[in-house]
Amino acid sequence: MALIAAGALGWVIYHYAYDHFAQAAADQEPSKPVNINDVLKATVTALTLIGAVLAGLYAYRKQLLAEGDAHRADASQLADRYTTAAEQLGHDQAAVRLAGVYALARLADDWEEQRQVCIDVLCAYLRMPYETRPDSPRPQGR
């Protein structure tokens, strides 16, 4: 289909160029015949220009799609990091909870769109009441 369209476009451009060159040749004194090589050069040049423009548009569209895919992949990766850090905040071991705090702080630095959400989660975590287990040994005071 594209070859048929390109052929039809080439035919139209060729006849337009031929008519233009024929008119220019007829206006000269004495009248000169149309140089077919000039007509062919003009046709090939016009088709090349059209092809270059279409190739540029295709490359631009492909670049936009690639950027969209990369943005979605980044957003997915950041959401996974958020989920992991939030799960770490609810862990039983204190070291894992601390790692979750640091992970959420790093995520806030990396994820500008959701930075405030990360900060809100950290603040809510810090506001949570601290409950000690009754069976845990109490630290000795000095």
Side-chain angles (χ1 to χ4, degrees):
M1 186 66 140
L3 290 175
I4 293 172
L9 183 63
W11 184 80
V12 168
I13 291 173
Y14 174 81
H15 284 289
Y16 176 77
Y18 185 85
D19 291 343
H20 178 72
F21 281 105
Q23 180 66 32
D27 290 345
Q28 292 181 354
E29 289 293 328
S31 186
K32 295 182 179 178
V34 175
N35 188 349
I36 297 298
N37 286 333
D38 289 341
V39 175
L40 289 175
K41 286 180 194 176
T43 302
V44 169
T45 301
L47 287 175
T48 303
L49 178 64
I50 291 169
V53 168
L54 291 177
L57 289 174
Y58 175 75
Y60 176 72
R61 175 73 174 144
K62 191 174 178 182
Q63 177 68 27
L64 287 179
L65 290 174
E67 287 174 2
D69 290 343
H71 181 71
R72 281 187 292 280
D74 288 344
S76 175
Q77 188 246 1
L78 291 169
D80 290 343
R81 283 176 56 191
Y82 174 80
T83 302
T84 302
E87 287 174 357
Q88 287 176 335
L89 290 178
H91 200 273
D92 290 338
Q93 296 178 357
V96 176
R97 290 192 303 268
L98 185 60
V101 168
Y102 282 114
L104 208 53
R106 281 193 314 269
L107 182 61
D109 290 338
D110 295 341
W111 200 4
E112 191 171 322
E113 294 90 15
Q114 296 295 325
R115 181 173 291 153
Q116 190 60 47
V117 172
C118 295
I119 293 169
D120 292 344
V121 169
L122 283 172
C123 290
Y125 175 73
L126 292 173
R127 286 189 205 113
M128 289 176 57
Y130 175 71
E131 297 176 12
T132 59
R133 288 199 253 156
D135 60 342
S136 66
R138 293 183 167 241
Q140 301 275 336
R142 292 188 182 182

